[in-house]
Amino acid sequence: MDRKRIVILGSTGSVGRQTLDVVRAFPGAFEVVGLCAGNNLDLLKRQVDEFRPRYINSAAELNGHNGAQKLAAEEIASLPEVEMVVCATVGCAGMGPVLAAIDAGKTLALANKEVIVMAGEVLMRRAKDSGATLLPVDSEPSALWQCIEGEQTPPAKFIITASGGAFRGRTWESLHNVTPEEALKHPTWTMGAKITIDSATLMNKAFEVIETRWLFDIPYEQIDVVIHRQSIIHSMVEFADGSVKAQLGPPDMRHPIQYALFYPERQQNADLPKFDPVKTGSLTFESMDTSLYPCFDLALNYAKRGGTWPAALAGADEAAVSLFLDGRIRFTDIPEVVASTLAAHTPIMEHSVEDAIQAAAWATERTYASHSAGAPI
Amino acid sequence: MDRKRIVILGSTGSVGRQTLDVVRAFPGAFEVVGLCAGNNLDLLKRQVDEFRPRYINSAAELNGHNGAQKLAAEEIASLPEVEMVVCATVGCAGMGPVLAAIDAGKTLALANKEVIVMAGEVLMRRAKDSGATLLPVDSEPSALWQCIEGEQTPPAKFIITASGGAFRGRTWESLHNVTPEEALKHPTWTMGAKITIDSATLMNKAFEVIETRWLFDIPYEQIDVVIHRQSIIHSMVEFADGSVKAQLGPPDMRHPIQYALFYPERQQNADLPKFDPVKTGSLTFESMDTSLYPCFDLALNYAKRGGTWPAALAGADEAAVSLFLDGRIRFTDIPEVVASTLAAHTPIMEHSVEDAIQAAAWATERTYASHSAGAPI
C-alpha cells in the first residue's frame, strides 16, 4: 500500500512519542514528512535519525540535521504532500499550525484539546469551509467517535467517563498542601504534566466536555460525565432507543492514536495491551460531585458563554497550572486564580480565531503577572 | 412514512407479546399483516382485535375472527406484501415458516435460536441465494451486531456475556433436587420456560455461541463467553487493534426487538428502561467454569462436528427440558439424557434443512421415548 504521509506536531511530547511508537510498529505504512517539537533537541535529533523527515521545526536551533530542513510549523502542517497532521502539542501555542492544517483542508488527528476549547466553534466552521476533517485522539472523544461509527440516527446522550484524577475520593479542602509531585501521580493514565494537573482539578474533564461539544456538534445538555475509576470504559453513547454503546480498553494512548492514524480501518498491533474482562473483574460508576472540584463548573460556566470566554479560560488555566508546578500558588488556588483572570476579561462575542489567540495570550500573561511576584510559597 | 408490513410468528409467546408492545408504541409505523400462534387462543383473539391482521395461523381452530383469514404459517411468512417476518417461536417446530421466509427473500428478525442451531450453515447459504437478510433479536447477538455496525475491518473476537442463569454460583452436584419452579426463576431476564431452563443449564449460552458462529460467519475459536451477573453488558466485540466495543442496557427484550424492527434507524421509546451507570454501580466479570455446567461443552462439542449433529442436539434438548418440566427427569439428568440420545444418532454430514428437521424430530422422539415410561420422579 502507499505510505500515508504524516506530520507530527509536538513529536517529543507524550502523545508525539506514542504516535511514533505506532508508526514504528507498522513499517511501510507511514512516511513521516515532518516533525515539529519544542526544546527537547536530543530526542528530536534521534527521531530525525530514525524517521528521516524532510522537514523539521524546533524551538531550539536545528537545521539540516540528517538532511531535515527547517521550516515554520505552519508551513509543515500545510505542505501539499501531507495527508494527515497529528497535533500532539499541549496548550494554546499549538493553535497556529492547527489552523494552517485546517485551512489547507488536511485530515487533522487532534490530541491538543486546548485549541478546541479556545476556538472550537470557529475551527469547526473553518474546517467545514476548507474540507478539513478533525479526528479526535483524546481517549474519551475517540471512544465516542468509535461508538457512533455507522449509526444513522444522531446520538441522544454522550456519557464521558472520568477517572477522577490523582485526588479522587478526597475533599477539595484536604488538598491545600498537596505538592506538584503528588498531583502528577495520575492513577490510571501516563500523560504529560499539564494534562495530569488538569485531570487532578477536573479542569481536563471540563475541557473534554467542551471538545466533545464542538467535535461532534452536540449540545452541552446532551453530555454527561460519570466517575469510572478503572479508566477501562473510555466513554459511552446512549442512542434514541435507549441502547448504549461503550468503547473499552486498557488505558493506553496508543489505542486512540492508532485508531485515528488508520481510520476507517483497524490494524492488528501486538504491542498494545488487550482488555481482559475477567482480569479487570469489575467496572464501577459513581456520580461526579462537581461541587467538590470547583474547576469543572467554573470552566463550563464560562465556556457556555461563548465568544472569547473559553479562550481566556484556556489561557488562564495554562498559566495557573504553570504557577502551581513552579511552586508559586497552591493546588487549591488554581480555580480562584483562573476565576480572577476571567473576571477581568473583556470578551469579544463575534470572534475570529485571532481574537481567541489574543484572549488566551492576554489571560496567560495576566495570570502570570498577578502571581509571579514575590517568593515561591 | 409508509408502514412497515410485518408478520409475527409466535405472537402469543414472550418475545411475540413484547414485539407487539413495540408495535403498539409506534402507531402508524407498522402494519401487522399476519399473526401465527400456538394454543393460546384467547390472547390471539385479543391480538387480532387490536392489530387487525389479514391472516392468522393457530394450532387451535380459529378462522375468520374479526376478518382474519387462516393460512398456513409458511404461506403467511412468504406473502409478497410482507417486508419483515419476526420469528418469535421457540424450538425446532419453528423451522418451516423460517425456511419459507428465507426462501422468499424476506428480512427475518430471528429470536428462535433453535432453528439456527439446527441448520445454521444451510440456512445462511439459502439466505444468501434468495437475498434474505437475517437480523438477530436475541439480546447477545443483537449486541454483537450493534457493536460491529459501521466497522470496516472484521472483528477479532466476540465476547458473549452470560448471567450464569438461575443457579450461578452453585455447583452442579448441589442441583440434584432443584424443582422446575426454582429453575424457572431467572435472575435478570423475564423469558419463556424453555429458554429459562436452557439458561440454567447453560445450554442456552452454547446455543448462542452456535447462533453467533452462523449469523456472523465467525469461527468458534473467535467466540468467548464470560460470566456477567448483571446482564447489563449484552455482549462485546474486540477488534483487530485491541479496541473493544460493548452494547449495554437494562435487561429488557424490547430493546433488541425494537432495534431489529427499525434497523438501521433508531427510534425513541419512552416505555423502555434506560441504563443509568451510577444506579447500576458496578459491572462484574468472571470466567465461566464450563466443567461445572456440563451442557455447555457437550453442546459445543457436538455442534462443531457439523452435519445433522446440532439438529439432533436441539431436538434432544427440547425433549429433555420438557421431561424436566413435567417432573420425569431431574435437572441434573438433562445433560446425560441429551448425551444418550446423541450417542445413538446416525448423522448425515452433507445435509439439507429437511435432514436437519428429521434429525431434530428423531432426537426429540427418542428422548421422550427413553424417559416417559413409568411414574414421574
Side-chain angles (χ1 to χ4, degrees), chain A residues 276-290:
Chain A
D276 180 328
V278 174
K279 278 191 188 151
T280 301
S282 126
L283 303 171
T284 63
F285 306 101
E286 300 156 62
S287 62
M288 189 170 80
D289 185 349
T290 60

Side-chain angles (χ1 to χ4, degrees), chain B residues 140 160-165 202 205 225-229 231 288:
Chain B
E140 293 82 355
I160 297 177
T161 55
S163 70
L202 293 189
K205 206 47 60 175
V225 175
V226 64
I227 298 283
H228 167 58
R229 291 176 176 244
S231 296
M288 189 171 81

Side-chain angles (χ1 to χ4, degrees), chain A residues 282-304:
Chain A
S282 126
L283 303 171
T284 63
F285 306 101
E286 300 156 62
S287 62
M288 189 170 80
D289 185 349
T290 60
S291 70
L292 292 178
Y293 282 76
C295 286
F296 184 82
D297 283 347
L298 173 73
L300 283 177
N301 288 340
Y302 277 104
K304 288 174 185 173

Side-chain angles (χ1 to χ4, degrees), chain B residues 325-375:
Chain B
L325 290 174
D326 290 346
R328 299 205 161 264
I329 64 172
R330 293 182 187 280
F331 182 78
T332 47
D333 292 335
I334 293 175
E336 281 163 47
V337 165
V338 170
S340 116
T341 292
L342 289 172
H345 181 55
T346 306
I348 302 174
M349 296 311 291
E350 293 290 322
H351 68 295
S352 64
V353 177
E354 291 66 28
D355 294 331
I357 294 172
Q358 283 196 355
W362 167 85
T364 300
E365 275 174 47
R366 188 188 185 281
T367 307
Y368 277 129
S370 310
H371 297 276
S372 53

